[in-house]
Amino acid sequence: MLGGGLLPGTLAVIYGATGIGKTHLGLTFADRGRVAEGARGVIFDMNGRGDSQQHAEYAERLFDWKLGEWTHTVTPMTEPYPPAEQMAAFYSNAFRWVGRVRDFQVPTPDGSWEFDWNWKATYNQALYTVRPFFYFHFAAGTRRVVVDGVEPMDSPADSIQFHLFDELYRKTLHRDAETLGMEICMPVWKHREFIDAHRYDHALVTTLLLVTTEETRLEDLLARKVATGDIGATANTIVVLGSEREGSRLARKLCVVKHRGSAMSDEIVEYRVGPVGLELG
């Protein structure tokens, strides 16, 4: 389907309704990092509603993988290195905000809007957990990121989740390893040996963004327009997962609607969620 798989260092967006199999696909992609890069990928869950998307349950059942949640926090000038058990924690749910950007802003005297200072303080505190989560796993060999829990929005440009993902993608996932290391491991002179010994090529980090849609039918997803602010407008690859009625049953179908950089199939294929994740046919 993908002409050899996702290209290293690219961004792929998966669109589909709740329950269509996006999380299974994401976990499969992350687990395959064991073979391809020698380290599993990380799961960054942006779900803010409090309902579990069963990442840990799926990971253990499908891949015998005890996911574990990252809680290690590195505030400025504190000991940065995570304990050994945290390096086995490949899941984080530190960004739990949903809704519109405007919900987190306040008006300014000149009539414009800016982020509320209290919210900014909470967000910056969360970054003390999020940035080390990615940095130390990248330093240990991880090259795959799966971002889940993104909710549908009529206007993606208004979504706080899209805003936060854009910030995360530009300022953490694809930040130069040395620079990110120096920002986390302070004072730098004390941790210079670690930073230099754990440089990685951020351009090889591949990201899979799972976006929930209101559309459930494959036909509607294929006809879906990319709105202003939608990450799919700049993604290298777009995959849609939808359903189609076939006689008395409802079939799940997958189609790659955009893929830059390598050959791909334009065929619509059926898949099912089986005991080892998504299976074609």
Side-chain angles (χ1 to χ4, degrees):
M1 285 295 295
L2 294 176
L6 298 177
L7 298 173
T10 60
L11 168 63
V13 182
I14 314 297
Y15 293 103
T18 299
I20 200 67
K22 298 188 304 297
T23 297
H24 280 77
L25 177 60
L27 287 170
T28 300
F29 174 72
D31 179 71
R32 293 293 189 271
R34 289 182 303 118
V35 176
E37 294 93 31
R40 282 180 165 120
V42 292
I43 310 297
F44 190 69
D45 185 7
M46 298 183 72
N47 173 35
R49 301 297 184 185
D51 54 323
S52 171
Q53 297 186 86
Q54 300 178 291
H55 293 97
E57 178 187 329
Y58 289 156
E60 186 164 10
R61 175 168 57 84
L62 297 174
F63 310 114
D64 194 25
W65 177 13
K66 295 187 181 300
L67 206 51
E69 183 170 359
W70 178 277
T71 57
H72 180 64
T73 298
V74 182
T75 53
M77 307 302 285
T78 60
E79 187 67 19
Y81 307 118
E85 64 271 16
Q86 282 288 275
M87 291 308 299
F90 287 79
Y91 172 90
S92 173
N93 184 210
F95 283 0
R96 300 184 179 185
W97 296 290
V98 297
R100 302 178 307 153
V101 171
R102 187 61 57 85
D103 296 335
F104 304 90
Q105 294 179 322
V106 293
T108 61
D110 64 359
S112 60
W113 293 80
E114 66 179 10
F115 281 106
D116 176 73
W117 283 102
N118 290 328
W119 180 82
K120 286 176 68 174
T122 304
Y123 170 65
N124 288 331
Q125 188 66 37
L127 288 176
Y128 292 144
T129 301
V130 170
R131 297 170 86 233
F133 170 64
F134 289 108
Y135 174 70
F136 286 108
H137 277 301
F138 291 160
T142 288
R143 295 294 180 270
R144 300 182 180 212
V145 175
V146 176
V147 179
D148 201 355
V150 178
E151 297 189 352
M153 284 284 290
D154 291 336
S155 175
D158 295 333
S159 168
I160 189 66
Q161 290 184 310
F162 276 97
H163 172 80
L164 293 176
F165 173 77
D166 182 64
E167 289 279 303
L168 180 71
Y169 191 78
R170 292 185 295 105
K171 297 181 179 180
T172 300
L173 304 186
H174 280 273
R175 196 172 190 85
D176 173 77
E178 181 182 15
T179 303
L180 186 60
M182 291 192 297
E183 291 172 348
I184 294 171
C185 303
M186 297 187 292
V188 174
W189 63 264
K190 182 178 179 181
H191 306 289
R192 170 54 72 179
E193 184 177 353
F194 177 90
I195 295 170
D196 289 344
H198 292 83
R199 296 190 185 193
Y200 57 86
D201 187 354
H202 67 277
L204 296 180
V205 174
T206 307
T207 304
L208 198 65
L209 176 65
L210 312 180
V211 179
T212 301
T213 63
E214 293 179 347
E215 300 91 345
T216 60
R217 297 170 61 239
L218 183 67
E219 181 179 345
D220 294 333
L221 286 164
L222 293 174
R224 184 177 183 270
K225 293 182 179 180
V226 177
T228 302
D230 196 328
I231 301 296
T234 56
N236 301 87
T237 302
I238 294 178
V239 179
V240 296
L241 306 178
S243 57
E244 282 188 356
R245 184 184 297 276
E246 292 190 349
S248 61
R249 73 185 187 95
L250 203 60
R252 289 174 169 168
K253 299 292 182 74
L254 176 153
C255 182
V256 182
V257 297
K258 174 184 176 184
H259 191 214
R260 296 174 179 164
S262 68
M264 71 168 192
S265 169
D266 57 4
E267 180 185 6
I268 295 173
V269 299
E270 184 174 349
Y271 69 93
R272 64 187 181 89
V273 180
V276 292
L278 264 63
E279 304 170 357
L280 297 181

